[in-house]
Amino acid sequence: AHLTAGMSAEELMKMPYEFTNYDFSGTLRPAFVTKQATVPAGIPKPDYADSSVPVSEQAARGSHTVDIKTGDDVEGMRLAGQYG
């Protein structure tokens, strides 16, 4: 279930406590923020997850090969997409 399921629009737009006495300069205001989701341990991280450097992508630049995904690869991508 989604973290905001069952919450009214009013609840989602309620000012977070941390900003109660903040003096805003414009019209933009914070709203409800969900907790950061975690990726299950069984799903491998991409090479840039820890260092923010996409080593594999940099190595592939200039390459004219197309990575063809197998059935298992496609299913894994679908599963990862469900996690958001």
Side-chain angles (χ1 to χ4, degrees):
H2 194 271
L3 297 174
T4 59
M7 293 180 73
S8 69
E10 185 177 296
E11 288 174 303
L12 292 171
M13 295 307 296
K14 183 179 175 186
M15 181 71 64
Y17 173 77
E18 297 84 0
F19 294 96
T20 303
N21 295 315
Y22 188 80
D23 187 23
F24 294 97
S25 62
T27 58
L28 187 63
R29 299 290 182 270
F32 183 79
V33 178
T34 61
K35 292 183 180 179
Q36 186 174 9
T38 56
V39 178
I43 297 178
K45 293 181 183 180
D47 59 359
Y48 54 82
D50 295 321
S51 68
S52 75
V53 177
V55 178
S56 61
E57 182 179 329
Q58 290 174 340
R61 287 190 185 189
S63 171
H64 297 287
T65 60
V66 176
D67 187 20
I68 299 173
K69 303 294 184 194
T70 66
D72 287 343
D73 293 332
V74 173
E75 188 57 36
M77 292 170 71
R78 285 187 182 126
L79 180 63
Q82 290 176 0
Y83 286 107

